Amino acid sequence: MKIQVYILILSLIFAHSCKKDNKMIENTTQVQAPVAKQIPHKLSIHNDNRIDNYYWLNDRENPEVIDYLNKENDYTKALMAHTEDFQKTLFEEMKSRIKEDDTSVPYKLNGYWYITKYEAGKDYPIYTRKKGSLDAEEEILFDCNEMAKDQAYFSLGGLSISPDNTMAAFAVDLVSRRQYTIQIKNLVTGEIYSDEIKNTTGSAVWASDNKTLFYTRKDAVTLRSEKVFKHKIHSDSKDDVEVFYEADETFNTFVYKSKSKKYIIIGSSSTLSSEYRFLDADTPDEDFTIFQERTENLEYTIAHYDDSFYIISNIDKATNFKISKTNLKDTSKEFWKDVIPHRNHVLIEDLEIFNDYLVVNERENGLNKLRIMSWDGKEDYYLPFESETYTTYIGNNPDFESPILRYSYNSLTSPSSVIDYNFKTKESDIKKEQEVLGGKFNKENYESKRIWATARDGVKVPMSLVYKKGVKFDGSAPLLQYAYGSYGSTIDPSFSTVRLSLLDRGFIYAIAHIRGGEYLGREWYENGKLLTKMNTFTDYIDCSKYLIDQKYTSNKHLYAYGGSAGGLLMGAVINMNPELYNGVLAAVPFVDVVTTMLDDTIPLTTGEYDEWGNPNEEEYYHYMKSYSPYDNVKAQEYPNMLVTTGLHDSQVQYWEPAKWVAKLRTEKTDSNKLLLHTDMDSGHGGASGRFESLKEVALEYAFLLDLEGIHGQ
């Protein structure tokens, strides 16, 4: 009898278990991927026809579009539901490493010490200052936590203090379209004046009279920064005077004040050319003087010191740039005299001028270097750095007379430091090293190195790797390969507290320094743009193959990651070699290249012609079409994919990733995950707030770790 009862109990347990399992299967099968309707839209140029079935998604105001994006979000949430607790764990873990009550290193400007601080439990910075001494009473300029209340998105930009220290121009973006509204605050009374200037870049500079502001306004449709205006305080912005209009649609304009405070400078630049004009800050109602007229393929920037202007330029075929100087009256290029001549193996990136020294940020063989030169010619040396996987750059140095150079340093294994270097004593003082809280981080537990893959054309492509000690290089380790590869933007090997959540779970992180960036100099960029853009994609693929061949990982454990133009990279490589990757993270990806570059009403399109080419010209059209991810989706197996975007993205419009995912769903032949997550409140930079953006990172990491079967440790 007891045996019969025992068998009955077991059978009931088994039946209940089966019923529960069947229910789980049933619920899983009920989660169907959204299917976007197809409305064929014909696009024709150069006797070539393309049919875009998802062109209709290009309408943010269409309720059906919003409904589709929400359904995709629901689908992502459903398929990732089993990781929700893990996502919370990851979020709290990443957040716990960040010091909540943190303070920046103070810097002195015009008699005041300026400090930015964060308070525990708050998402946004508080901007403060102290007069004369760090022991003086703290004055709160802006508490962004108060300003951001009840806002889904908040960004403060363009903070600019008047010469007499009594007013601050500031700018706010509440939509995440990078269209800022400038206002003015009286720092003595706390009053915010009625002046309100909309649709700007956020940047504003004061003339010496404490009454005049110069700022840049955007085109409301294309978002191109095209006009510089002059505003008098306590006046209506409708009465502002236009002082410069950039008529060339491939250029953007901007305005700033020289470090010397003597000049207001208007810059105008495209990818390959630039032009500057300047005005004495004491006479804001006079006309600007052109420094050097724009010339095709001439790029330059200017800085003022004493009786001279200093110029970084590529004049006279200085591919990696050189430094020149000229007097204040004869500023055109025929008067420029070399200070540091061009060198084929050294890229000049930046300079900082002091009374007694010139500091130059250089790059050689991919590595940052800070060169210090005394004006009297007696000293010329580099600050020493030992690692091959580090990042350094010149910090905030507003004072010509300072005997101190402030710079920052970090590496893949070392947290960021702010360092003051004394020119006279040659001593370095670490003012602050980034704290990694939680009690678990020890830089000695991690290793980094630089390796070189051979691309298919024989070129050596560097990669920077970081991992936790003990990782086995037998092909079993998961590896996340990141790259960008466009605009000459160099992705330096820098430290990340967030990344520790992957490294501590056995991931290797690799940065591929592919062509299209400037890691190995200007030619590295030139050989990865326009009609050589394919090098960017094949470099990445060849790096992936090298990582697999050398058993750092395998195709079952290799993951690709890129955002924006790096998202274009993701789309291209998985069309070409999807079998190399188990998963892909594509953040705000630029994937509908041809259609976007043919539409000059889309924000920022015309300024991109020098990067990608103008598809109105047949040669560029066909080349662009050959790699455009959206145009080359085909019936094949694709890796597991998580694609993210923002509804208000001003750089890459949300419909590009939305259309891409919709097309992939109909074409791909596999059953791998394909998820689209749209942040309905933000744009290109993701969520505002100090910690809110970590939730998206937690989703991305949970996606990767789940594919590896790692769910919590």
Side-chain angles (χ1 to χ4, degrees):
M1 184 68 179
K2 288 182 179 180
I3 293 176
Q4 289 175 327
V5 171
Y6 181 68
I7 292 173
L8 177 62
I9 292 172
L10 284 177
S11 65
L12 288 171
I13 293 173
F14 179 74
H16 177 74
S17 177
C18 288
K19 184 177 180 181
K20 183 179 179 182
D21 288 343
N22 287 335
K23 186 68 174 175
M24 289 176 65
I25 294 170
E26 184 181 81
N27 287 338
T28 301
T29 57
Q30 286 177 353
V31 180
Q32 297 294 324
V35 177
K37 68 179 181 181
Q38 298 186 25
I39 304 176
H41 181 85
K42 187 176 181 179
L43 298 163
S44 300
I45 190 173
H46 306 308
N47 295 315
D48 184 60
N49 298 319
R50 293 180 300 133
I51 302 299
D52 187 349
N53 290 321
Y54 304 103
Y55 192 86
W56 67 274
L57 287 169
N58 179 353
D59 184 0
R60 191 182 285 102
E61 305 304 319
N62 184 345
E64 287 188 78
V65 172
I66 301 301
D67 181 60
Y68 170 71
L69 295 176
N70 283 327
K71 285 179 179 177
E72 285 284 4
N73 280 350
D74 292 342
Y75 178 68
T76 296
K77 185 175 179 63
L79 263 67
M80 294 297 292
H82 65 289
T83 70
E84 284 188 359
D85 288 342
F86 189 28
Q87 288 180 51
K88 291 176 183 177
T89 298
L90 288 167
F91 171 77
E92 293 299 335
E93 178 180 292
M94 291 184 286
K95 182 180 177 183
S96 71
R97 297 192 192 103
I98 300 172
K99 187 178 182 183
E100 292 197 45
D101 53 339
D102 204 3
T103 303
S104 68
V105 179
Y107 69 90
K108 195 173 186 180
L109 178 63
N110 200 21
Y112 282 81
W113 289 95
Y114 287 87
I115 305 161
T116 303
K117 66 179 184 179
Y118 290 89
E119 294 182 347
K122 296 181 179 180
D123 260 342
Y124 293 91
I126 301 170
Y127 294 93
T128 71
R129 69 178 182 180
K130 296 182 178 183
K131 186 176 183 179
S133 166
L134 288 172
D135 296 325
E137 184 179 353
E138 178 184 78
E139 176 186 349
I140 294 178
L141 305 179
F142 297 95
D143 184 344
C144 294
N145 299 284
E146 291 296 321
M147 299 170 74
K149 278 184 177 179
D150 303 320
Q151 301 294 341
Y153 179 90
F154 177 84
S155 175
L156 180 74
L159 188 58
S160 178
I161 307 297
S162 62
D164 65 3
N165 294 313
T166 65
M167 292 173 289
F170 67 100
V172 171
D173 174 13
L174 300 179
V175 180
S176 191
R177 288 283 285 175
R178 301 186 183 180
Q179 292 173 282
Y180 286 86
T181 297
I182 294 174
Q183 295 177 272
I184 300 169
K185 181 177 181 178
N186 186 312
L187 299 179
V188 178
T189 66
E191 177 189 1
I192 295 179
Y193 295 150
S194 59
D195 310 51
E196 193 171 76
I197 310 169
K198 296 183 177 181
N199 192 35
T200 77
T201 61
S203 176
V205 292
W206 293 89
S208 302
D209 62 2
N210 299 292
K211 298 177 182 178
T212 308
L213 273 177
F214 292 88
Y215 66 91
T216 312
R217 188 172 288 171
K218 292 186 171 186
D219 180 281
V221 177
T222 67
L223 302 188
R224 182 174 72 94
S225 53
E226 60 175 6
K227 295 179 180 180
V228 177
F229 283 85
K230 178 172 58 180
H231 175 80
K232 300 292 185 179
I233 62 171
H234 306 306
S235 68
D236 193 315
S237 62
K238 294 178 182 178
D239 299 324
D240 290 355
V241 177
E242 179 184 313
V243 296
F244 177 67
Y245 170 56
E246 178 49 73
D248 190 329
E249 292 183 344
T250 67
F251 278 69
N252 289 280
T253 190
F254 49 93
V255 62
Y256 65 98
K257 202 171 189 178
S258 62
K259 178 178 176 177
S260 63
K261 309 304 177 189
K262 181 173 175 58
Y263 293 108
I264 306 294
I265 300 173
I266 293 175
S268 201
S269 66
S270 68
T271 305
L272 298 176
S273 302
S274 48
E275 180 181 77
Y276 289 83
R277 36 187 39 85
F278 60 100
L279 171 70
D280 193 311
D282 291 335
T283 57
D285 295 324
E286 298 294 322
D287 293 330
F288 281 79
T289 301
I290 292 180
F291 189 89
Q292 161 60 44
E293 290 185 352
R294 67 189 65 183
T295 303
E296 187 175 1
N297 297 323
L298 173 61
E299 299 174 64
Y300 72 95
T301 59
I302 62 174
H304 168 249
Y305 175 62
D306 199 17
D307 60 355
S308 300
F309 282 108
Y310 289 81
I311 309 111
I312 299 177
S313 79
N314 64 348
I315 193 172
D316 300 328
K317 299 181 180 179
T319 306
N320 280 327
F321 297 88
K322 64 179 179 178
I323 297 178
S324 310
K325 67 179 290 188
T326 190
N327 64 61
L328 302 181
K329 293 183 178 179
D330 302 315
T331 61
S332 56
K333 62 183 179 180
E334 60 265 27
F335 298 104
W336 299 358
K337 306 295 183 183
D338 284 3
V339 175
I340 299 180
H342 176 251
R343 291 157 292 166
N344 290 326
H345 61 289
V346 178
L347 174 68
I348 293 178
E349 295 187 323
D350 195 12
L351 62 76
E352 189 72 69
I353 298 172
F354 295 86
N355 271 347
D356 298 322
Y357 292 89
L358 172 67
V359 180
V360 185
N361 194 338
E362 301 179 348
R363 185 181 297 274
E364 184 175 5
N365 196 31
L367 303 181
N368 294 124
K369 293 186 175 183
L370 296 182
R371 182 182 183 183
I372 297 174
M373 306 168 63
S374 62
W375 291 118
D376 61 14
K378 294 180 179 179
E379 296 179 88
D380 187 348
Y381 59 94
Y382 292 87
L383 292 183
F385 302 112
E386 296 178 359
S387 172
E388 275 197 321
T389 56
Y390 71 89
T391 299
T392 187
Y393 54 90
I394 298 170
N396 191 3
N397 296 273
D399 185 5
F400 280 119
E401 298 180 0
S402 174
I404 300 293
L405 165 68
R406 175 161 293 175
Y407 71 96
S408 292
Y409 172 88
N410 69 90
S411 74
L412 286 171
T413 58
S414 299
S416 181
S417 296
V418 177
I419 303 170
D420 281 357
Y421 174 78
N422 190 301
F423 294 119
K424 304 299 182 184
T425 66
K426 307 294 187 291
E427 294 177 344
S428 294
D429 180 15
I430 299 176
K431 306 302 291 185
K432 181 180 180 179
E433 182 176 79
Q434 177 185 5
E435 293 185 56
V436 183
L437 303 184
K440 297 180 181 180
F441 174 74
N442 181 345
K443 68 178 72 176
E444 301 303 320
N445 292 335
Y446 304 87
E447 290 181 333
S448 65
K449 62 179 177 179
R450 188 168 63 160
I451 61 177
W452 299 76
T454 302
R456 60 197 65 187
D457 60 358
V459 172
K460 297 288 187 181
V461 182
M463 285 183 281
S464 298
L465 271 61
V466 62
Y467 46 87
K468 195 169 185 179
K469 289 180 179 178
V471 168
K472 295 180 180 179
F473 301 130
D474 60 2
S476 64
L479 187 150
L480 182 59
Q481 180 185 342
Y482 174 77
Y484 186 71
S486 292
Y487 303 108
S489 178
T490 298
I491 306 300
D492 282 311
S494 57
F495 184 79
S496 167
T497 62
V498 171
R499 191 189 301 139
L500 295 173
S501 291
L502 289 181
L503 302 184
D504 289 347
R505 291 175 172 86
F507 262 77
I508 300 169
Y509 187 85
I511 303 171
H513 305 291
I514 55 181
R515 280 174 281 189
E518 262 182 2
Y519 186 78
L520 292 180
R522 181 68 177 198
E523 288 187 359
W524 201 244
Y525 169 43
E526 298 291 345
N527 290 325
K529 61 184 285 197
L530 296 174
L531 298 175
T532 61
K533 189 62 198 171
M534 196 63 72
N535 286 335
T536 302
F537 314 133
T538 54
D539 278 1
Y540 188 92
I541 290 168
D542 292 340
C543 285
S544 298
K545 291 179 177 178
Y546 182 82
L547 291 167
I548 293 170
D549 290 343
Q550 297 300 309
K551 296 192 180 300
Y552 287 101
T553 189
S554 69
N555 63 343
K556 294 181 180 179
H557 301 289
L558 178 57
Y559 300 89
Y561 173 36
S564 194
L568 160 63
L569 171 67
M570 295 297 98
V573 301
I574 61 171
N575 281 335
M576 297 165 69
N577 286 93
E579 77 284 353
L580 294 176
Y581 311 98
N582 188 39
V584 173
L585 296 176
V588 292
F590 174 41
V591 285
D592 191 13
V593 185
V594 179
T595 306
T596 291
M597 293 304 296
L598 282 169
D599 187 350
D600 60 12
T601 67
I602 292 176
L604 312 178
T605 290
T606 54
E608 305 277 294
Y609 289 157
D610 288 334
E611 177 71 23
W612 312 103
N614 184 348
N616 291 293
E617 299 176 24
E618 190 167 358
E619 182 182 24
Y620 288 109
Y621 171 82
H622 288 294
Y623 188 81
M624 200 177 291
K625 185 183 174 185
S626 74
Y627 65 74
S628 174
Y630 185 64
D631 290 291
N632 288 281
V633 170
K634 55 192 172 187
Q636 66 177 4
E637 292 190 358
Y638 283 90
N640 296 283
M641 296 174 62
L642 172 60
V643 182
T644 59
T645 187
L647 182 63
H648 301 290
D649 197 323
S650 59
Q651 311 301 108
V652 178
Q653 306 304 307
Y654 73 89
W655 59 76
E656 292 200 37
K659 288 165 52 176
W660 185 43
V661 168
K663 189 173 183 179
L664 279 165
R665 287 207 192 286
T666 63
E667 295 291 332
K668 73 191 194 82
T669 60
D670 58 85
S671 58
N672 290 330
K673 290 181 179 179
L674 174 57
L675 307 179
L676 172 66
H677 174 70
T678 303
D679 188 326
M680 305 301 281
D681 296 316
S682 74
H684 200 64
S688 64
R690 197 178 181 201
F691 303 112
E692 196 65 25
S693 61
L694 293 179
K695 292 179 180 177
E696 186 166 295
V697 179
L699 172 65
E700 293 173 340
Y701 282 12
F703 177 78
L704 297 175
L705 293 163
D706 184 51
L707 291 173
E708 281 294 313
I710 301 171
H711 297 107
Q713 67 265 35

